């Protein structure tokens, strides 16, 4: 209990320091720092407000307990009524504060860049990649988010061998960050004449889209080349050097974009991809250097980790990381992912609570 109050006092001090900086001339002249500190103030405001409420309840409880020591029956009765109201309130508030103090993923409020690739199963894997893309666009639509295709390689049989797209909206990464990994489908392919069930896979990678305040990439660290795009995509594609390849020299990360109608468009897309991938890589290296173990993470987030199975004959989907099975696959493929995402968020919160020192 004392440790919790101590932590809240530290947060209040931090909140006051941030507020002081926000009105300083130096910060007001620096848009990047102003944005960062404004977000920090918003993040700290909830625990600070809860701390003030807790202090008020503590004071009322303390006064009521003093009143109980009096000989006056009326005062004792008033004290009993006050405690009857305040003690349950304080218990509820303490539980709420525990949740507020759970370490928050700083990327939760970011937009995301998602990449889906057809995996094992040939054409069927590519078709399933298309089904997953449709599922995510439906979910985004339900959430009021905006989806923009950045790169796409359609498959002749349907679906995509690869598709990269961004999703913009409120706390997108908080919901979609659990989607990275191998998704497995069990169903009878359209090409299967004898009605046998096949197992195919598609892989998903979900990364937070880096903002200006997250990372600054020096142009000197980039090699930018233009070249003629290959494959289908319109007459302009073979006549101009519209495709753009960017290499981030320090990390070796490479992106190639050719789906845009112009070199400018492809360059902009390639820069967004480079920023997101370099941001993730530098974050990973920092955690590794600091010896951090992301114990609260649900799964590894690695593309090779099998995270979910979609069983069409039994209309069933199973998320293997939390052992959740839902027999409404038809609804889920229409973007009704709420139950799965809520289950993953609850599991993450539980892990964080278990690892909390308070």
């Amino acid at each position: 209990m004392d440790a919790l109050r101590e932590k809240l006092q530290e947060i209040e001090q931090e909140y006051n320091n941030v507020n002081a900086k926000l009105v300083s001339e130096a910060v007001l002249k620096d848009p990047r720092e102003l944005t960062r500190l404004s977000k920090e103030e918003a993040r700290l405001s909830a625990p600070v407000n809860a701390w003030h409420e807790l202090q008020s309840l503590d004071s009322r409880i303390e006064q009521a307990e003093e009143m109980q020591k009096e000989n006056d029956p009326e005062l004792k009765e008033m004290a009993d009524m006050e405690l009857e109201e305040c003690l349950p309130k304080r218990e509820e508030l303490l539980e709420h504060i525990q949740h507020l103090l759970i370490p928050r993923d700083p990327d939760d409020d970011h937009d995301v860049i998602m990449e889906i690739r057809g995996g094992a199963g040939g054409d069927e894997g590519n078709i399933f990649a298309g089904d997953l893309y449709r599922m995510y666009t439906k979910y985004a639509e339900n959430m009021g988010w905006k989806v923009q295709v950045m790169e796409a390689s359609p498959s002749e049989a349907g679906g995509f061998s690869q598709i990269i797209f961004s999703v913009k909206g409120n706390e997108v990464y908080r919901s979609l960050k659990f989607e990275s990994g191998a998704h497995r489908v069990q169903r009878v392919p359209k090409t299967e004449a004898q009605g046998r069930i096949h197992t195919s896979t598609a892989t998903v990678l979900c990364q937070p889209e880096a903002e200006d305040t997250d990372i600054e990439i020096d142009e000197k660290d980039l090699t930018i080349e233009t070249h003629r795009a290959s494959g289908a995509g319109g007459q302009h594609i073979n006549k101009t050097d519209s495709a753009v390849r960017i290499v981030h020299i320090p990390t070796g990360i490479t992106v190639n974009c050719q789906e845009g109608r112009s070199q400018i468009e492809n360059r902009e897309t390639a820069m967004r991809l480079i920023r997101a991938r370099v941001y993730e890589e530098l974050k990973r290296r920092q955690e590794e250097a600091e010896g951090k173990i992301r114990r609260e993470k649900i799964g590894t987030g690695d593309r090779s980790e099998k995270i979910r199975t979609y069983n069409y004959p039994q209309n069933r989907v199973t998320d293997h990381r939390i052992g959740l099975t839902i027999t409404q696959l038809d609804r889920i493929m229409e973007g009704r992912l709420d139950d799965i995402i809520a289950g993953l968020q609850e599991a993450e919160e539980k892990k964080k609570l278990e690892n909390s020192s308070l």
Side-chain angles (χ1 to χ4, degrees):
M1 190 75 79
D2 290 341
L4 183 138
R5 284 170 170 76
E6 227 173 88
K7 179 68 177 173
L8 289 168
Q9 284 177 336
E10 288 172 12
I11 290 171
E12 184 176 32
Q13 184 59 53
E14 193 180 344
Y15 178 78
N16 292 336
N17 292 341
V18 167
N19 270 315
K21 288 177 184 175
L22 274 170
V23 295
S24 72
E25 198 174 328
V27 169
L28 290 171
K29 289 179 179 177
D30 185 345
R32 181 178 292 194
E33 185 65 2
L34 185 63
T35 301
R36 188 189 72 79
L37 287 171
S38 297
K39 285 184 177 181
E40 188 69 3
E41 183 200 30
R43 181 184 70 82
L44 295 169
S45 62
V48 168
N49 291 338
W51 169 226
H52 292 161
E53 192 180 339
L54 180 61
Q55 286 176 303
S56 174
L57 280 171
D58 282 344
S59 178
R60 287 172 64 185
I61 289 166
E62 191 179 335
Q63 288 172 18
E65 286 173 343
E66 285 299 315
M67 285 168 62
Q68 278 187 324
K69 296 173 185 176
E70 299 291 331
N71 292 324
D72 188 332
E74 283 189 19
L75 282 176
K76 282 187 176 181
E77 189 180 346
M78 285 172 61
D80 289 342
M81 288 171 65
E82 181 77 344
L83 289 172
E84 199 175 311
E85 180 190 342
C86 291
L87 288 172
K89 270 189 180 179
R90 183 168 70 177
E91 286 306 306
E92 283 178 25
L93 183 59
L94 286 170
E95 191 175 329
H96 175 59
I97 288 170
Q98 286 280 5
H99 284 270
L100 287 177
L101 296 184
I102 293 171
R104 188 177 182 275
D105 186 335
D107 293 330
D108 274 356
D109 60 353
H110 282 42
D111 297 327
V112 305
I113 293 176
M114 297 188 79
E115 179 182 347
I116 306 175
R117 290 185 193 171
D123 288 343
E124 177 62 11
N126 293 339
I127 291 168
F128 182 50
D131 294 337
L132 289 177
Y133 169 67
R134 180 179 178 276
M135 177 184 79
Y136 291 127
T137 54
K138 288 280 186 182
Y139 178 67
E141 190 181 303
N142 295 339
M143 297 294 288
W145 297 339
K146 185 182 176 184
V147 175
Q148 178 195 355
V149 174
M150 301 172 79
E151 283 285 299
S153 301
S155 168
E156 286 184 15
F160 303 93
S161 59
Q162 178 185 7
I163 183 165
I164 302 172
F165 57 99
S166 66
V167 187
K168 293 182 177 292
N170 184 42
E171 293 194 328
V172 180
Y173 188 69
R174 180 171 179 265
S175 294
L176 294 178
K177 62 183 173 183
F178 306 107
E179 297 306 300
S180 291
H183 296 240
R184 183 174 69 171
V185 63
Q186 294 172 326
R187 64 185 176 189
V188 179
K190 294 171 186 175
T191 53
E192 171 57 56
Q194 297 179 23
R196 290 176 299 185
I197 296 170
H198 287 226
T199 298
S200 307
T201 63
T203 61
V204 176
L205 185 64
C206 177
Q207 296 179 313
E209 182 156 11
E211 299 174 359
D212 289 343
T213 51
D214 297 322
I215 184 173
E216 194 168 350
I217 294 179
D218 193 331
E219 291 251 349
K220 294 174 187 173
D221 290 335
L222 300 176
T223 299
I224 303 174
E225 301 171 350
T226 58
H227 59 97
R228 291 192 181 183
S230 58
Q235 289 184 351
H236 72 286
I237 216 160
N238 295 318
K239 293 183 179 179
T240 62
D241 289 345
S242 60
V244 176
R245 181 185 296 109
I246 301 180
V247 180
H248 183 251
I249 300 163
T251 60
I253 291 170
T254 303
V255 300
N256 187 69
C257 293
Q258 63 177 39
E259 296 298 314
R261 300 289 299 179
S262 68
Q263 188 184 114
I264 293 171
E265 196 177 320
N266 284 325
R267 183 185 171 118
E268 186 184 319
T269 300
M271 279 302 299
R272 285 173 66 189
L273 286 172
I274 273 285
R275 287 174 64 81
R277 292 178 185 175
V278 170
Y279 174 61
E280 275 284 271
E281 175 60 18
L282 295 181
K283 191 170 64 171
R284 185 194 66 77
R285 289 184 184 185
Q286 183 184 352
E287 287 174 350
E288 204 173 72
E290 292 173 357
K292 285 185 180 177
I293 303 169
R294 302 177 79 178
R295 292 171 299 176
E296 72 278 1
K297 195 173 175 71
I298 304 298
T300 63
D302 188 86
R303 197 194 286 272
S304 63
E305 181 192 15
K306 185 184 77 175
I307 64 166
R308 202 174 292 152
T309 295
Y310 304 74
N311 185 302
Y312 275 74
Q314 297 178 20
N315 196 33
R316 184 185 73 216
V317 62
T318 299
D319 194 287
H320 304 291
R321 295 162 295 181
I322 56 174
L324 175 67
T325 295
I326 298 173
T327 51
Q328 292 181 324
L329 176 57
D330 49 347
R331 289 183 72 253
I332 284 161
M333 297 311 292
E334 289 298 315
R336 301 293 176 182
L337 290 165
D338 308 73
D339 289 343
I340 293 177
I341 287 169
L344 289 159
Q345 287 173 340
E346 284 170 22
E348 181 189 49
E349 192 169 290
K350 187 180 176 184
K351 278 198 170 191
K352 285 181 176 179
L353 273 172
E354 286 169 0
N355 295 322
S356 174
S357 58
L358 295 174

